[in-house]
Amino acid sequence: MMKEINFFLAALLCAVFGFTACQQTPQHADNKPDMQQRPAYAIAIHGGAGTLSRAIMTPEKEAAYRTALDSALLIGETVLKNGGTSLDAVEKTIVFLEDCPLFNAGRGAVFTHEGKNELDASIMDGSNQKAGAVGGVSIIKNPIRLARAVMDKSPHVMLVGRGAEQFALENQIDTIDPKWFFTEERWQTLQEMLAEEKKNGKTGSLDPALRDYKFGTVGCVALDNQGHLAAGTSTGGMTNKRWNRLGDSPVIGAGTYASDDACAVSCTGHGEFFIRYAVAHDVWALMSYKGLSLAEAAEFVVNKKLVEKGAEGGLIAVDKAGNISLPFNSEGMYRGYAKPGERKVLIYKE
Ligand code: ASP
């Protein structure tokens, strides 16, 4: 009889504690985020980081930036709300930002030393780690579209210059007269830098003392309702660049990275550093190999590692659970994010 009671008690305890254990999230849950926890979508954008001091910003200019960022967010958000993919949201949002002359991407791109616009872009699909990138193109209206075509329609990841433009012509990607990219403000910035170079007798195009610290690259990261992540970045590079210089924006792992198992990242800042420290991939690696949260990983890379190396810039990132992180170590970063019931556009450290 005693034996039977003990057995009954043991069974009862197992049932109670076994059930309770099942209620808790296992320590090593599989990589798919909990469907209950994850928002239906999440999206973040940036329009570059740098010296965005309030002193040189007029109220009209600030309002124009905020409106443009808000419209860009709305484009991506609409795609995601309607069940579209994160990849489409990223591409469409960046196309809008490329067409907006306020940003250093597409129309509004900065000028090279020779007074031309050379555009770079990349996109990555976190669901299969496919990626496409283009560098140094000067007749492509929307370089992000070409990057997507490289990913979808070629066996390659990165095409540059004339070859990339040839590929665009063969794949019905819109080309345009390079005059389209001209803006007076960017032209004047180049003239100022050239005059400064002359005065100083220096010709190093990206000499820190002469560099233009107002960036303006654009990027977008998104999580869709299928749990897929995507990232994209587009830029005119840095004012006064020479010798077909490429920055981090078209380099997968440096300026752009996405993998469904952790996060999607798009960077902006002094590209040479972002390439050398594989910044976008570094955020992913800290999450994946060290188990850091998105915020911990992104903060560490931008506000510790890059600061120690003397690199200015920032990044936007979203993880598989829909968390968003937007760290930067410069004075400001044009940025915004949206999730169901949440939406914000920011410029300074607010
Ligand atoms: N990262 C870009 C580059 O170095 C510049 C920027 O983000 O504004 O080309």
Side-chain angles (χ1 to χ4, degrees), residues 62-274:
E62 183 171 332
Y65 273 106
R66 287 188 188 273
T67 306
L69 290 168
D70 199 55
S71 306
L73 263 183
L74 192 64
I75 289 171
E77 220 187 339
T78 306
V79 173
L80 297 168
K81 263 187 190 161
N82 291 329
T85 65
S86 50
L87 210 51
D88 285 344
V90 165
E91 183 186 341
K92 288 206 166 105
T93 304
I94 292 182
V95 164
F96 173 84
L97 292 166
E98 286 176 339
D99 287 343
C100 177
L102 292 171
F103 301 101
N104 171 21
R107 192 173 189 200
V110 299
F111 286 90
T112 65
H113 186 73
E114 293 78 19
K116 293 202 287 194
N117 305 107
E118 292 176 355
L119 315 171
D120 311 326
S122 65
I123 194 163
M124 186 159 186
D125 182 345
S127 73
N128 53 19
Q129 310 247 244
K130 283 190 168 184
V134 294
V137 293
S138 48
I139 57 163
I140 306 301
K141 182 169 172 284
N142 294 107
I144 196 70
R145 281 211 172 116
L146 184 54
R148 173 98 188 248
V150 171
M151 177 175 81
D152 290 344
K153 299 178 180 167
S154 89
H156 307 298
V157 169
M158 194 181 211
L159 300 179
V160 300
R162 289 256 178 86
E165 291 170 352
Q166 181 60 33
F167 177 80
L169 293 172
E170 288 169 20
N171 286 277
Q172 292 76 51
I173 299 293
D174 286 349
T175 55
I176 203 158
D177 186 323
K179 285 194 191 99
W180 163 257
F181 302 113
F182 181 93
T183 54
E184 187 58 36
E185 196 176 332
R186 301 288 189 198
W187 180 252
Q188 285 313 325
T189 305
L190 173 67
Q191 302 318 308
E192 283 161 25
M193 288 183 76
L194 291 176
E196 201 60 27
E197 270 192 357
K198 224 172 170 184
K199 213 167 76 195
N200 290 286
K202 288 188 181 177
T203 52
S205 64
L206 298 177
D207 186 301
L210 308 175
R211 211 160 54 70
D212 174 24
Y213 280 92
K214 295 184 287 310
F215 300 123
T217 292
V218 305
C220 181
V221 292
L223 169 75
D224 63 29
N225 68 7
Q226 299 298 306
H228 296 316
L229 292 163
T233 312
S234 182
T235 189
M238 289 171 78
T239 305
N240 202 24
K241 64 184 182 179
R242 286 175 97 173
W243 308 299
N244 298 118
R245 176 261 186 193
L246 292 174
D248 59 312
S249 309
V251 179
I252 296 300
T256 302
Y257 197 72
S259 179
D260 275 6
D261 61 6
C263 61
V265 183
S266 168
C267 302
T268 177
H270 192 162
E272 278 66 13
F273 289 90
F274 282 68

Side-chain angles (χ1 to χ4, degrees), residues 290-312:
K290 277 196 132 185
L292 264 58
S293 71
L294 179 78
E296 289 165 345
E299 276 296 328
F300 175 80
V301 172
V302 173
N303 282 314
K304 180 147 173 52
K305 199 165 166 185
L306 288 180
V307 168
E308 280 170 8
K309 306 293 177 191
E312 199 186 356

